[in-house]
Amino acid sequence: GAVVSQHPSWVICKSGTSVKIECRSLDFQATTMFWYRQFPKQSLMLMATSNEGSKATYEQGVEKDKFLINHASLTLSTLTVTSAHPEDSSFYICSGGRNTDTQYFGPGTRLTVL
Amino acid sequence: GENVEQHPSTLSVQEGDSAVIKCTYSDSASNYFPWYKQELGKRPQLIIDIRSNVGEKKDQRIAVTLNKTAKHFSLHITETQPEDSAVYFCAASITGAQKLVFGQGTRLTINP
């Protein structure tokens, strides 16, 4: 398989602050990575497709100015939740693959906004 | 866009019995169908996948079947064990796109 890491694994922040989550592919290069959000007892909802060297593609209903994605290298994509509010509290997971269909997921980041 | 429906939402079976989870998809262009297992607070783990040029695939106690005409695919777990208890997600994508659309998930409980 392929290894994807995420940092931090959990974060608690105050309402109005910004939080950055990193997603790294450790043993492969990923031109494309994906960011998902998962609320308790719900499925994974794709937020955006992160493209190395170009702008991210956001799913319908996801605010691109609120969820900033940067994919500056073939092994790192970052998601920044700007001006976080309690309703942004969720489990954020990234995924990547070796130019095949198989997607490998990071361990996730649990965000709690107070 | 693609829509994936998964049933049942919860499933409880006795240890040693079989479990079956079913998914349907809407986009006939989808041709890659993975199944993931997710334990509480953990990442989804790929357990098996199937491509549209194959009707069935088996890996020990786990099998997946695909009916392209009907646009549905199923996960079969035989001889269930307590460690099979988890949430299972089906997904669909188009080869090359890598973008997965997930079903709603099935919480499987294996009763000892």
Side-chain angles (χ1 to χ4, degrees):
Chain A
V3 181
V4 177
S5 70
Q6 263 182 259
H7 178 81
S9 56
W10 60 269
V11 57
I12 301 173
C13 69
K14 292 182 178 180
S15 186
T17 60
S18 294
V19 174
K20 180 185 282 189
I21 302 170
E22 293 185 347
C23 176
R24 292 182 185 273
S25 55
L26 300 185
D27 56 354
F28 67 99
Q29 294 183 327
T31 55
T32 302
M33 300 184 88
F34 298 90
W35 285 96
Y36 294 83
R37 181 166 52 182
Q38 186 177 33
F39 292 108
K41 297 186 178 182
Q42 293 189 25
S43 187
L44 289 86
M45 297 300 297
L46 179 65
M47 298 176 66
T49 303
S50 176
N51 304 300
E52 188 268 335
S54 65
K55 291 183 179 181
T57 305
Y58 291 83
E59 295 299 302
Q60 192 171 11
V62 178
E63 300 174 59
K64 61 181 181 180
D65 294 330
K66 181 171 182 62
F67 299 99
L68 303 179
I69 291 173
N70 184 277
H71 195 149
S73 78
L74 288 171
T75 59
L76 174 64
S77 175
T78 61
L79 168 68
T80 302
V81 183
T82 63
S83 186
H85 291 285
E87 57 266 30
D88 298 323
S89 298
S90 189
F91 193 50
Y92 291 86
I93 314 177
C94 66
S95 75
R98 297 177 183 269
N99 292 324
T100 65
D101 296 318
T102 304
Q103 286 291 299
Y104 296 93
F105 287 86
T109 298
R110 184 160 303 283
L111 171 64
T112 302
V113 185
L114 302 176
Chain B
E2 176 64 278
N3 181 53
V4 178
E5 296 286 333
Q6 183 173 345
H7 298 282
S9 56
T10 61
L11 180 60
S12 182
V13 301
Q14 287 297 120
E15 182 178 355
D17 289 349
S18 296
V20 180
I21 302 171
K22 298 182 179 181
C23 289
T24 60
Y25 62 99
S26 61
D27 190 345
S28 57
S30 291
N31 52 10
Y32 173 66
F33 307 95
W35 285 88
Y36 286 86
K37 175 183 180 182
Q38 187 180 30
E39 297 178 356
L40 189 62
K42 302 287 182 63
R43 76 183 85 195
Q45 298 273 13
L46 179 70
I47 57 171
I48 197 167
D49 57 12
I50 191 168
R51 287 177 170 76
S52 60
N53 58 345
V54 175
E56 183 174 358
K57 185 177 178 181
K58 189 174 182 179
D59 183 4
Q60 299 183 332
R61 297 186 297 109
I62 296 173
V64 57
T65 58
L66 170 66
N67 184 325
K68 275 189 64 178
T69 303
K71 294 208 280 286
H72 64 70
F73 56 112
S74 301
L75 176 71
H76 304 253
I77 306 174
T78 59
E79 300 172 24
T80 54
Q81 301 168 3
E83 53 264 37
D84 294 330
S85 295
V87 179
Y88 291 80
F89 292 98
C90 63
S93 76
I94 298 172
T95 295
Q98 297 186 320
K99 176 178 164 180
L100 294 172
V101 177
F102 283 87
Q104 296 86 346
T106 297
R107 183 172 299 278
L108 176 63
T109 302
I110 307 302
N111 301 309

